[in-house]
Amino acid sequence: KMLPRTSYAASDIDPLYLDYLGNRFANYSAVDILRVDLENDAHFDAVAGCFDTVLCLNVLEHVAQSDRAVRNMYRALEPGGFAIILVPQGQWLYGSLDRVLDHVKRYNRTDLADTCRRAGFEIDRLLSFNRTGVLPWFLNARILRRKHFGKLQLKFFDSMVWFWRIADRFLPFHGLSVICIARKPMAD
């Protein structure tokens, strides 16, 4: 469920996903569907300073020009607005699964924070999560060089979520993903 707002915008660059979003939110007058390419500055001219929050979930890793993309997110925000950016973590994990998913790169906390700071953001929080996913990802993407997870493997992993939640906090490495919560300063 989304937080109460007077308006929302959902975006993508893929026509198929845009069509899906248009159909999914056709009966919601408060939701606008926009074609927005993070690497295209012109796409942000019309929305500069229009949003209080930008959610960028599993997108930045597909973008070659990440500095430009984050600067455009910054432009879209009003002063004091937040960007919440989730990316896959650990370049050492980059492998066959990342290539299949068209990932340009995986990040670490420092890379993501520095990219956000270069755009002008102040970092509020960096959160690493899903440590339990690191070993299966490494095994499948780097060792076995698979192009997908098997159904049985996914079913087993999903059935053990209750255990993974407990075990996750005790694992001695960073998680499979990192979230950066960044704020555009009030005085811009």
Side-chain angles (χ1 to χ4, degrees):
K1 185 162 173 114
M2 297 185 286
L3 295 173
R5 296 280 194 274
T6 56
S7 66
Y8 301 88
S11 68
D12 206 293
I13 58 172
D14 186 303
L16 184 63
Y17 292 142
L18 288 167
D19 186 52
Y20 171 80
L21 288 168
N23 289 325
R24 171 65 179 85
F25 294 106
N27 296 323
Y28 295 86
S29 61
V31 179
D32 293 319
I33 308 304
L34 308 172
R35 184 185 189 285
V36 177
D37 182 342
L38 283 173
E39 295 177 290
N40 187 332
D41 297 342
H43 286 193
F44 288 82
D45 292 341
V47 296
C50 289
F51 300 104
D52 64 358
T53 307
V54 169
L55 293 174
C56 182
L57 308 177
N58 287 314
V59 175
L60 198 58
E61 66 272 16
H62 298 276
V63 174
Q65 299 178 43
S66 59
D67 280 346
R68 171 173 276 164
V70 175
R71 274 195 314 270
N72 281 328
M73 285 184 247
Y74 183 91
R75 284 182 55 212
L77 287 168
E78 62 189 28
F82 285 90
I84 302 167
I85 303 169
L86 180 144
V87 292
Q89 183 169 217
Q91 189 60 29
W92 66 276
L93 287 169
Y94 189 94
S96 59
L97 293 170
D98 293 286
R99 285 187 286 281
V100 166
L101 294 168
D102 292 326
H103 289 174
V104 174
K105 71 180 275 188
R106 298 179 71 87
Y107 288 79
N108 65 45
R109 294 163 62 102
T110 303
D111 290 339
L112 185 55
D114 289 348
T115 300
C116 290
R117 284 188 188 103
R118 282 192 299 273
F121 283 108
E122 296 171 351
I123 306 305
D124 186 56
R125 267 184 278 171
L126 287 165
L127 309 164
S128 177
F129 72 98
N130 192 6
R131 290 180 180 113
T132 56
V134 170
L135 295 176
W137 190 276
F138 180 77
L139 176 67
N140 284 285
R142 297 294 308 256
I143 305 296
L144 301 174
R145 295 191 174 108
R146 290 188 174 157
K147 297 190 178 177
H148 59 83
F149 285 101
K151 287 182 181 181
L152 184 60
Q153 191 178 34
L154 289 172
K155 192 172 217 161
F156 170 74
F157 194 84
D158 288 347
S159 73
M160 297 294 292
V161 167
W162 64 271
F163 176 75
W164 305 137
R165 285 186 179 151
I166 296 167
D168 197 76
R169 69 184 89 148
F170 298 108
L171 296 173
F173 40 80
H174 291 295
L176 196 58
S177 298
V178 64
I179 297 174
C180 180
I181 301 172
R183 186 175 57 82
K184 183 175 183 174
M186 288 302 289
D188 187 30

